[in-house]
Amino acid sequence: MQLKATTIDIGTSRPIVLLNVDDADELGAHPLDRVRIDHAQETTTGIVKRTERLVEQGTIGLTEPLHRIRGTVTVTVAGRPHSVEYVRKKLDDIELAANELETIVHDIHEKRLSDIELGAFVSAVYANGLSIEETENLTQSMSNVGETLRWEPPVVPDKHSIGGVAGNCVTPIIVAIIAEAGLTIPKTSSRAVTSPAGTADVMEVFCEVEFTTDEIKSIVTETNGCLVWGGGVALSPVDDEIIRAENPLSIDPAGLLIASVLSKKRSVGSTHVVIDIPYGEGAKVQSLVGARELADNIKRVGSHLDMDVTCAITHGSDPIGRGIGPVLEARDVLAVLEGNGPESLRLKSIRLAEMLLDHCGVDASPTDILDSGGALNRFRRILVAQNGDPEISADDLVPGDESMTRRSDRDGIVTGVDNRQLCELARRAGAPLDSRAGLVVHQSAGDRVVEGDSLYTLYAEQPAKLVEAESLGERLEPVRVRGKADALVERR
């Protein structure tokens, strides 16, 4: 069928083509079918969306990825990519071969899968899991797609946390320590997937985080380190597409988590990596056994990629730091670098930095680097290189104007702090999109409180979001307080 090409914008990055229903019926094209488009010396494929009004009969509407196409084109129905069949196999809990996973990765990269098909792949992995061989092959394929960075030093350290712990923003502190110790640490981080703030969201409070690969190299050459958003460059770009599919359901299955983390590390040129695996109530990993199993799998996949990976299994039942949300976590980070701040955030940063330095064979004291002000100075140098304000202080980081404080209704003991519920409250208040939204938790497990003591304070930029978060807080119990007798019964 001959159709006239016209450009159209429906807010998608996928190669969608809009066909008038009469043309679609004549072609025999159903929603989400593929059509082959022949024009000039090029052939490409689009995913069908039928419409009665957006395009007239005799025309084909092309979204942004296909805007280069002009004039009259020949349109025929095409078969579905082989990767769709492989996704269906995974839905049936059939293990996929290396070439099948490579095909899925390639088609995701080329945007040949519809959002529904990509969501089906993520759901299949969530429901049925990946074997260790599948995880190795998926990670290898993902790291082979897109750009890669290479560095002169033979040892390039990196650190990552699998997340799930509120306020766990140790990365900026660790990068400042490691860079001040003389090592090259090009840190790419993600935005929030299931949390109220990813490291990139927190760093964006201080400075720019989106840079080209050449700009990243320049920043690292100047300062020994960087703290940038990994999605701003084409480092394992398939990972970004998978994360986009995970976001609506707030899921992060283990196999995809490993592939996500290690494909990014390999692409950025990391050689020695420490992975933080928090476990406990409300964390992504609930048990010590589960944490050890995940650590073993991460190290095995890392070895498959010729990376030296070690894991820190940490207690993740309580928040790290007090602030939850971009500005509130940024305030904690800067306070620790300035010699104050939450002790839990300071101690975890030091411990992981010690592990990373030891892993790289470097004899240096993170405590000395932090206490001397060296880490703070290095952090400010990185801010300058990333177009931030080096004079920013904790007092400049002001949370949202709308706030409310939840107080204890009894005397007693804090028997638990639920990370997951705290994160839900912070997100309901508007974090991370509203950078000044979130909450500050005032108590830790084991603390004694009296009636009227503050448990947590919610902050929002918009009154309606504060009301919504407050309403959710009334139904949840993110900070559990029990009387003495109740606490004894619960501990038994």
Side-chain angles (χ1 to χ4, degrees), residues 298-373:
I298 288 174
K299 288 187 283 189
R300 178 169 169 179
V301 176
S303 177
H304 179 76
L305 298 174
D306 296 323
M307 290 191 296
D308 196 345
V309 180
T310 190
C311 295
I313 297 177
T314 58
H315 184 65
S317 293
D318 283 340
I320 304 297
R322 295 294 184 184
I324 303 169
V327 164
L328 293 165
E329 293 183 39
R331 190 168 65 177
D332 281 353
V333 165
L334 194 54
V336 169
L337 288 167
E338 290 175 340
N340 302 301
E343 189 66 9
S344 56
L345 182 62
R346 169 187 163 85
L347 290 177
K348 185 167 185 179
S349 299
I350 289 173
R351 179 190 172 191
L352 292 174
E354 283 176 340
M355 282 189 67
L356 190 50
L357 288 169
D358 183 64
H359 194 50
C360 295
V362 175
D363 184 13
S365 168
T367 303
D368 291 346
I369 293 172
L370 200 54
D371 291 346
S372 68

Side-chain angles (χ1 to χ4, degrees), residues 202-279:
V202 174
M203 283 305 301
E204 202 164 36
V205 172
F206 294 111
C207 60
E208 294 178 17
V209 296
E210 294 189 38
F211 297 95
T212 66
T213 52
D214 286 341
E215 288 170 335
I216 290 172
K217 289 176 182 177
S218 177
I219 293 167
V220 173
T221 298
E222 182 180 345
T223 68
N224 283 356
C226 68
L227 286 149
V228 302
W229 176 46
V233 286
L235 301 170
S236 187
V238 170
D239 176 46
D240 302 313
E241 289 294 307
I242 290 174
I243 288 174
R244 187 176 62 82
E246 291 174 325
N247 273 338
L249 296 175
S250 292
I251 59 176
D252 196 9
L256 293 182
L257 183 154
I258 295 172
S260 170
V261 172
L262 294 185
S263 65
K264 275 284 198 288
K265 300 307 172 195
R266 188 169 187 260
S267 296
V268 83
S270 304
T271 63
H272 292 66
V273 184
V274 168
I275 306 293
D276 173 31
I277 305 177
Y279 76 95

